[in-house]
Amino acid sequence: MDIIHRNLFRLLRSGAFDEYEELEPMSPFKWRRLLQIAEIQGMASYIQLGVVSQRRTNNNLCIPETIIKQLYSVSSVIPNVNNTLMKVMQLNPHLSNYFLNRRLKRIKSEEESSSDGSVETLQLLNVIIYNVNQTLNKGLDIHGIIELGRFLRNRGDSVDFIKIESWLKHLGLSRMASLQGTVLIDVFHFELEEIPYMQKTERQAYALLMRTMQHTAFDTAETWHFRTRSNGMVENNGKILRRNLRRCLKYFKYCPWETISNFVRNFFKNLSEIEE
């Protein structure tokens, strides 16, 4: 891990989980690069909170004032952390595979109508599935994983982890959930006991996260998938198609049926939205 990512993760841990770690001095160029990564990944507000947290602990902050001003211009209002967590808890994602999504609907229906149903347990399932969708469409989403960690820290004591483990197994998402949990352990210093539904740690989690962070800027540069040429022929964006196929193959072993279904669903969805 290079110094930019070390400082990035330290600021994220400070901003999201209020954990202080002394920052390493960097050149203005590297601080600007850190802000660029944070903005692309949708993490600028947590970096801002991290700076506020760092300032409370250390008056001699090694971040240049010009960089701090630039950060506040990117994220001008410090977010209400509780409101962000509430939005995550209210997510209602679905699965691309028809049969797995039907199982998901049944799980939700039975839990909501059960006399001993747990709202928090369903909310945790929704956060995990939201992160599954983000991973299959964009790669490991560090913002979503932060919200998963914050949910576990804030609401984990109200969750029925036996149900979560059973549901994930029934939906074929156990390894994908373990992948998300491993990022929390590797990057945000969670203990294994804080994520009781994890089957095992996934060795490739950190490498997959870093690959996503390094390639996001390039992956979002061209957004069209299919378009109609002047002669009426349909042209596909080969780069994006190959990128999506590589991502499909990369995450196939973590949830095979959902990965394939997601790829096929996106392919036909993009085909039906041909750019004129």
Side-chain angles (χ1 to χ4, degrees):
M1 187 195 313
D2 60 34
I3 188 172
I4 295 175
H5 286 98
R6 287 200 300 272
N7 277 339
L8 174 71
F9 292 144
R10 285 168 181 163
L11 283 171
L12 286 176
R13 287 192 288 268
S14 293
F17 302 107
D18 201 25
E19 296 180 3
Y20 174 78
E21 294 176 73
E22 189 170 348
L23 300 173
E24 299 177 64
M26 296 195 303
S27 67
F29 171 79
K30 289 184 177 180
W31 281 115
R32 284 192 294 271
R33 177 58 182 155
L34 184 151
L35 292 188
Q36 182 184 31
I37 295 171
E39 187 176 3
I40 291 171
Q41 296 291 332
M43 300 180 297
S45 55
Y46 276 120
I47 295 297
Q48 188 183 41
L49 285 173
V51 170
V52 172
S53 177
Q54 289 274 337
R55 271 181 160 172
R56 285 199 303 264
T57 309
N58 184 1
N59 292 326
N60 299 316
L61 202 59
C62 64
I63 306 176
E65 283 298 322
T66 55
I67 300 299
I68 294 177
K69 289 179 181 178
Q70 183 180 345
L71 172 63
Y72 275 77
S73 69
V74 170
S75 180
S76 58
V77 180
I78 295 177
N80 186 316
V81 173
N82 292 328
N83 286 346
T84 306
L85 186 56
M86 284 299 295
K87 289 180 181 179
V88 172
M89 289 162 54
Q90 293 166 2
L91 293 171
N92 187 31
H94 65 276
L95 294 171
S96 298
N97 184 277
Y98 171 79
F99 299 102
L100 295 180
N101 196 55
R102 192 167 66 175
R103 291 181 185 179
L104 175 61
K105 289 180 179 179
R106 188 181 303 119
I107 286 170
K108 291 182 178 181
S109 177
E110 291 176 354
E111 186 68 11
E112 288 169 354
S113 60
S114 173
S115 58
D116 63 343
S118 168
V119 174
E120 289 81 5
T121 306
L122 280 178
Q123 288 172 338
L124 176 57
L125 180 66
N126 283 336
V127 175
I128 292 171
I129 292 175
Y130 167 81
N131 279 327
V132 170
N133 290 339
Q134 291 292 98
T135 298
L136 296 182
N137 289 313
K138 300 177 182 179
L140 280 170
D141 178 33
I142 194 165
H143 186 273
I145 291 174
I146 286 174
E147 298 306 331
L148 171 63
R150 292 181 55 235
F151 185 96
L152 289 169
R153 288 267 172 94
N154 287 275
R155 302 294 180 112
D157 57 351
S158 301
V159 172
D160 186 334
F161 287 105
I162 295 176
K163 284 183 178 179
I164 282 288
E165 188 174 359
S166 173
W167 293 344
L168 291 172
K169 184 177 181 180
H170 195 52
L171 295 170
L173 300 177
S174 296
R175 285 200 67 184
M176 187 63 91
S178 293
L179 184 68
Q180 298 170 24
T182 304
V183 174
L184 288 175
I185 292 171
D186 290 349
V187 176
F188 296 105
H189 301 169
F190 272 59
E191 299 293 335
L192 187 59
E193 293 75 18
E194 294 182 88
I195 319 171
Y197 57 83
M198 276 186 61
Q199 287 188 332
K200 62 176 183 177
T201 55
E202 296 289 347
R203 289 185 299 175
Q204 292 184 319
Y206 183 78
L208 289 171
L209 175 66
M210 295 303 295
R211 183 176 179 84
T212 298
M213 294 184 69
Q214 291 166 359
H215 288 269
T216 298
F218 302 103
D219 287 350
T220 55
E222 291 184 288
T223 57
W224 67 273
H225 296 260
F226 295 91
R227 65 184 178 189
T228 304
R229 301 175 66 176
S230 58
N231 61 4
M233 298 294 290
V234 175
E235 176 186 15
N236 77 294
N237 189 329
K239 289 182 180 179
I240 287 187
L241 184 61
R242 288 192 296 272
R243 180 202 69 193
N244 291 343
L245 181 58
R246 284 196 300 269
R247 186 186 305 118
C248 175
L249 295 173
K250 195 184 307 176
Y251 293 106
F252 176 81
K253 64 181 179 181
Y254 298 104
C255 53
W257 292 112
E258 179 61 15
T259 301
I260 292 173
S261 299
N262 180 273
F263 178 81
V264 173
R265 176 178 175 273
N266 285 339
F267 180 87
F268 284 105
K269 179 183 176 182
N270 294 324
L271 188 60
S272 68
E273 297 174 355
I274 296 174
E275 181 176 315
E276 303 245 341

